Amino acid sequence: MRVIVVGAGVVGTMHAWQAVERGHEVVQIEREAEARGASLRNFGQIWVSGRAGGEELETALRARELWEGIGGRVPGLGFRPNGSLTPVRGDLELAVAEAAVAREDAPARGYKLLTPDEARALNPALRGEFSAALYCERDAAVEPRTAQLALRAELLKSPRYTFRPGREVREVIGHHAVRDDHGDVHTGDVVVLCTGAWLGGLVRELAGPGLPVRRVRLQMMQTDPLGEPLTTSIADADSFRYYPAYDSAALDELNARQAQARTAADHRMQLLMVQRADGGLTIGDTHEYEHPFAFDTLEDPYDHLTGVVESFLGRALPKIRRRWAGVYAQCTDPGRVVHRQQVRDGVWLVTGPGGRGMTCSPAIAETTANELGW
Ligand SMILES: Cc1cc2nc3c(=O)[nH]c(=O)nc-3n(C[C@H](O)[C@H](O)[C@H](O)COP(=O)(O)OP(=O)(O)OC[C@H]3O[C@@H](n4cnc5c(N)ncnc54)[C@H](O)[C@@H]3O)c2cc1C
């Protein structure tokens, strides 16, 4: 079978990976020289901790297993099972962490509630003040800026894989064929459109108006090397307010009785932080839903995040080296892991994994492959 994959972000690349693994021929088409979108701009968190119980958690856990296997074959991914810590302060935040460890699926996530000393034994860089920390052993990380390149280098070892960069797919022709903006036609047995947050143009023509997917814009930053290891990823208790795993009476109480800092509330923020292979820290994020999106990055959210990180680390942040924004596509139904739609005979659109796309894409692609009988 010949599979045409459109888009070289992580969703497209994982579909290519699944097809090549199953012995098929793959042509992957990307309009840029290499992917430049959400798949490079993210934290690289393989994030299990906040997932909703049920299908979403199962997808994330399966994906983590697949990432670990792929990471063993592709060291350039920088896969590491680093786990995460969410330090909490005060009784209200502590109660949410306690509710999390009381969940039935807490063992599957590797949740544990740690004292500050236990947390510092795991991650000695946490010298600031906090009263306890929620540990999630299953969280992991990869290097997002180079992951797609590393995966591509591995795929290119297969004679069955072809990468066609610098070509925008403009048209689906009949069944199973696409035309790019060079006028070339690529014919296969199946076409999978993994076009990320580009929801207009070809996608609108094929899927119609009413696509149950929206775009979300986030601000991020990265520092110079910290000068010491940050052995786990870090989140703050604001993350409890955004991730479904923390829904509980304790969270309702937190929301009712403890307001988020003004900047955090205005920009729908949480702290997530992970150390890069070079020692720098990737720190975020904000969430912007209303269009038109800003074309510039705002300083207030960065000031807020710097304050939160410095309070956990008990030291000044290294110089900020980079700031950027990214956009992902998210299913409007928060219960849906991804939007997978047959838009023509033999042509599928796979988009909308939202803030979990880096985590879940290996399992999303596996499900596509199973459902399409590859
Ligand atoms: C700031 C930020 C932080 C995030 N952090 C995390 C995280 O830590 N963990 C996590 O799990 N998820 C995270 N996410 C979400 C995750 O990055 C996305 O869900 C995921 O990268 C989406 O991958 P994709 O392949 O669908 O999209 P993209 O990476 O956008 O790739 C789509 C590709 O398709 C190409 N394309 C589009 N149209 C065409 C066409 N017509 N012809 C040819 N090529 C085309 C584009 O050029 C692009 O390269 C984050 C996202 C952002 C923005």
Side-chain angles (χ1 to χ4, degrees):
M1 193 167 76
R2 188 172 152 95
V3 180
I4 310 291
V5 177
V6 181
V10 67
V11 173
T13 301
M14 286 300 171
H15 279 81
W17 185 275
Q18 279 289 333
V20 169
E21 284 291 288
R22 293 170 189 230
H24 304 302
E25 201 184 316
V26 173
V27 178
Q28 187 172 16
I29 306 167
E30 165 59 49
R31 75 163 152 224
E32 306 283 347
E34 267 295 343
R36 306 294 292 167
S39 300
L40 277 80
R41 298 173 192 221
N42 62 50
F43 293 93
Q45 307 260 34
I46 310 307
W47 201 244
V48 168
S49 43
R51 302 290 160 227
E55 186 193 348
E56 188 178 320
L57 177 62
E58 281 158 26
T59 306
L61 286 169
R62 173 63 184 149
R64 188 206 180 280
E65 204 178 327
L66 291 167
W67 272 118
E68 190 163 11
I70 298 168
R73 274 173 60 186
V74 186
L77 273 181
F79 176 89
R80 50 206 181 275
N82 60 342
S84 75
L85 285 166
T86 306
V88 297
R89 296 180 178 121
D91 291 345
L92 290 168
E93 292 179 3
L94 179 63
V96 182
E98 284 170 343
V101 294
R103 289 180 63 99
E104 254 183 20
D105 55 21
R109 300 168 195 259
Y111 275 163
K112 269 188 213 148
L113 193 57
L114 304 184
T115 64
D117 283 349
E118 288 169 334
R120 286 189 194 104
L122 269 180
N123 190 341
L126 286 174
R127 295 189 195 88
E129 289 303 311
F130 53 95
S131 42
L134 177 65
Y135 177 51
C136 180
E137 184 269 332
R138 291 275 85 193
D139 284 336
V142 296
E143 290 298 295
R145 282 176 182 257
T146 48
Q148 302 315 310
L149 296 173
L151 289 167
R152 184 106 42 249
E154 185 68 19
L155 280 167
L156 284 166
K157 290 181 187 166
S158 167
R160 296 191 303 279
Y161 175 78
T162 309
F163 184 47
R164 305 304 301 271
R167 289 167 182 267
E168 180 174 311
V169 168
R170 301 292 294 271
E171 199 186 344
V172 169
I173 307 167
H175 311 303
H176 325 142
V178 296
R179 190 192 312 274
D180 68 29
D181 58 354
H182 294 235
D184 292 335
V185 173
H186 309 269
T187 305
D189 298 292
V190 62
V191 177
V192 190
L193 301 167
C194 304
T195 42
W198 284 266
L199 304 178
L202 178 68
V203 169
R204 198 191 313 279
E205 280 171 26
L206 291 171
L211 192 69
V213 173
R214 65 174 174 175
R215 301 171 82 227
V216 183
R217 177 182 180 271
L218 292 76
Q219 279 191 207
M220 307 279 284
M221 64 178 170
Q222 191 171 326
T223 69
D224 274 349
L226 181 64
E228 63 178 320
L230 186 80
T231 52
T232 67
S233 294
I234 302 291
D236 73 354
D238 279 345
S239 67
F240 293 159
R241 303 176 197 257
Y242 292 102
Y243 284 111
Y246 305 114
D247 283 348
S248 58
L251 179 65
D252 295 342
E253 195 74 2
L254 175 72
N255 282 328
R257 292 181 47 203
Q258 184 174 305
Q260 254 186 310
R262 179 69 192 268
T263 306
D266 284 353
H267 299 282
R268 289 126 165 155
M269 297 176 68
Q270 61 186 341
L271 168 75
L272 296 179
M273 171 166 67
V274 57
Q275 189 166 41
R276 296 272 70 94
D278 74 351
L281 303 176
T282 301
I283 299 171
D285 54 15
T286 59
H287 295 94
E288 186 180 350
Y289 301 100
E290 293 80 28
H291 293 259
F293 288 151
F295 58 85
D296 44 9
T297 55
L298 294 175
E299 277 305 299
D300 283 358
Y302 292 118
D303 292 343
H304 169 79
L305 289 170
T306 300
V308 176
V309 174
E310 290 184 346
S311 79
F312 286 151
L313 299 184
R315 54 167 281 186
L317 257 195
K319 185 181 146 205
I320 295 167
R321 181 186 276 183
R322 304 183 170 116
R323 300 167 201 268
W324 69 94
V327 175
Y328 60 63
Q330 178 187 54
C331 290
T332 45
D333 173 353
R336 296 279 302 277
V337 173
V338 74
H339 180 71
R340 189 183 286 105
Q341 180 186 350
Q342 184 168 10
V343 289
R344 290 282 187 281
D345 267 1
V347 182
W348 292 80
L349 171 67
V350 184
T351 185
R356 56 200 162 191
M358 194 69 176
T359 303
C360 294
S361 52
I364 288 170
E366 183 182 62
T367 302
T368 305
N370 290 341
E371 285 184 2
L372 302 193
W374 292 1

